[in-house]
């Protein structure tokens, strides 16, 4: 069996965040979603769980939720099929309220291409492509 990865993001507005991720190409799994959380499915192995702050806090005990608009909590990297797919993902994020930028790694685009994508709450995704 392949490993499944579930990334949990705290979000202020589950409904708005759900729409944002749907616009990026994720599908909502209603079986694991309710008013406090949305299970967003990329493929059979990669899921993002959008949890409202009160629900997210149940899992972090006495810690505070990072303000990911001003602090970094994690960079979630995942691969796409081409540099063009990465660019399309970034364009969709920008068109739907996300922030996108590129870090110049000094690697030619025909070998590797990636973007830094922030969602509505500042959570960071790193879609990337590498010639293998």
């Amino acid at each position: 069996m392949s490993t499944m990865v579930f990334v949990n993001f705290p979000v202020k507005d589950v409904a708005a965040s759900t729409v944002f991720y749907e616009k990026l190409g994720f599908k909502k799994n209603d079986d694991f979603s309710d008013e406090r959380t949305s299970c967003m499915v990329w493929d059979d192995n990669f899921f993002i769980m959008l949890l409202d702050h009160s629900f997210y806090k149940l899992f972090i005990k006495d810690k505070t939720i990072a303000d990911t608009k001003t602090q970094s909590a994690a960079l979630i990297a995942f691969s796409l099929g081409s540099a063009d797919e990465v660019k399309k993902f970034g364009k969709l994020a920008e068109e739907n309220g996300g922030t996108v930028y590129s870090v110049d790694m000094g690697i030619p685009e025909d070998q590797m291409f990636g973007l830094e994508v922030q969602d509505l709450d500042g959570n960071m995704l790193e879609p990337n492509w590498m010639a293998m």
Side-chain angles (χ1 to χ4, degrees), residues 20-39:
F20 176 81
Y21 279 91
E22 287 175 331
K23 299 282 186 178
L24 295 180
F26 287 80
K27 305 282 187 241
K28 181 180 174 188
N29 180 332
D30 288 320
D31 292 336
F32 298 100
S33 302
D34 59 27
E35 66 281 347
R36 300 182 309 169
T37 186
S38 283
C39 175

Side-chain angles (χ1 to χ4, degrees), residues 31-66:
D31 292 336
F32 298 100
S33 302
D34 59 27
E35 66 281 347
R36 300 182 309 169
T37 186
S38 283
C39 175
M40 306 306 296
V41 181
W42 183 256
D43 62 24
D44 291 341
N45 298 304
F46 178 44
F47 306 80
I48 293 181
M49 302 296 296
L50 305 171
L51 310 177
D52 76 15
H53 282 215
S54 62
F55 189 52
Y56 186 90
K57 285 181 182 181
L58 296 175
F59 302 97
I60 61 172
K61 209 168 180 176
D62 298 328
K63 292 184 177 184
T64 32
I65 295 173

Side-chain angles (χ1 to χ4, degrees), residues 88-106:
K88 181 181 176 187
F89 188 93
K91 184 174 188 269
L92 289 170
E94 282 185 322
E95 290 173 353
N96 290 285
T99 304
V100 178
Y101 59 94
S102 179
V103 175
D104 184 1
M105 300 288 291

